[in-house]
Amino acid sequence: MRKLPKISIIVPSFNKVRYIGITLQSIVNQKYPNLEVIIQDGGSTDGTLDIIKRYAERFPELFRWESKKDKGQLDAINKGLKNATGEIFAYINADDIYKEGALLTVGKYF
């Protein structure tokens, strides 16, 4: 079987403490074997960074993150894309979730 393509997911984030954990868990739950997640946070001050750090510590092979002021969502996505190394690029907002099996469906299609 051919190796599944690497998927890079960019997560733009700013003060999403209420949702970011659910979003990141939905990515972890994908169990996609060839994945990188780049979280571009705009300098959150509400506890969002604590959650991001916890996920990055638990899954260091999966999550990379940066937190510094940006010019909004599009700027954050563009910064993340510059650091992405995948063959397929996607972004998910910090208050959205992936349906189970979504990334495997995409990977198999490509």
Side-chain angles (χ1 to χ4, degrees):
M1 181 172 146
R2 184 181 174 281
K3 184 178 173 186
L4 291 167
K6 185 174 188 178
I7 298 176
S8 297
I9 300 175
I10 313 307
V11 182
S13 170
F14 182 69
N15 287 341
K16 293 291 185 179
V17 70
R18 228 173 122 189
Y19 306 103
I20 188 87
I22 296 167
T23 300
L24 299 181
Q25 190 61 49
S26 82
I27 296 170
V28 170
N29 290 347
Q30 294 293 308
K31 296 183 176 91
Y32 189 82
N34 199 6
L35 180 65
E36 73 177 348
V37 181
I38 301 168
I39 305 166
Q40 286 294 140
D41 181 79
S44 292
T45 58
D46 67 346
T48 297
L49 293 179
D50 294 331
I51 296 169
I52 291 171
K53 288 175 186 176
R54 267 198 314 262
Y55 273 87
E57 288 171 5
R58 283 180 56 204
F59 305 98
E61 71 289 346
L62 184 60
F63 292 103
R64 289 186 288 144
W65 64 278
E66 175 182 60
S67 180
K68 64 173 155 180
K69 189 165 177 49
D70 56 37
K71 297 174 187 167
Q73 182 180 25
L74 186 58
D75 186 40
I77 292 168
N78 284 329
K79 285 179 179 180
L81 287 172
K82 287 180 183 175
N83 293 310
T85 62
E87 299 166 76
I88 300 170
F89 302 103
Y91 80 89
I92 185 170
N93 291 318
D95 58 0
D96 291 332
I97 61 171
Y98 280 118
K99 184 177 177 182
E100 188 176 325
L103 298 182
L104 187 57
T105 299
V106 170
K108 285 181 177 179
Y109 178 81
F110 282 89

